Amino acid sequence: MPAAPGRDEVVAMLAGFGDRTPEEVPEGIDSMELAWLVHQIEQRYDRHLDDATLARMTTVSGAVDVLAALGPLTGPGQ
């Protein structure tokens, strides 16, 4: 079973918001970026994130930690 997305994958997902390069993604995640990231997670891994989980995803590092704590994620049909 694949592990949760790591930092590089989270940054790549966030870079898709606004067509940025990974180097342009800041450490802090604003509300629009969070909505985008949650959408990406839900689409890729068919996983719903509750409000308490979302509240802990205010930085890239925080998002990586939260996703790691959820355990292995799989895509739809996996």
Side-chain angles (χ1 to χ4, degrees):
M1 193 177 280
R7 184 177 185 82
D8 289 343
E9 189 173 351
V10 169
V11 169
M13 285 187 256
L14 288 167
F17 179 73
D19 292 322
R20 301 174 286 183
T21 66
E23 296 77 25
E24 293 174 298
V25 174
E27 177 63 18
I29 298 176
D30 69 25
S31 60
M32 293 299 291
E33 291 169 325
L34 181 58
W36 174 264
L37 181 60
V38 168
H39 175 73
Q40 296 300 306
I41 297 296
E42 289 176 349
Q43 292 295 309
R44 292 180 190 202
Y45 301 107
D46 197 26
R47 182 75 177 255
H48 175 73
L49 303 176
D50 62 34
D51 289 343
T53 300
L54 299 179
R56 299 186 339 250
M57 298 173 68
T58 59
T59 64
V60 172
S61 296
V64 171
D65 291 345
V66 165
L67 294 173
L70 293 175
L73 301 176
T74 60
Q78 293 181 355

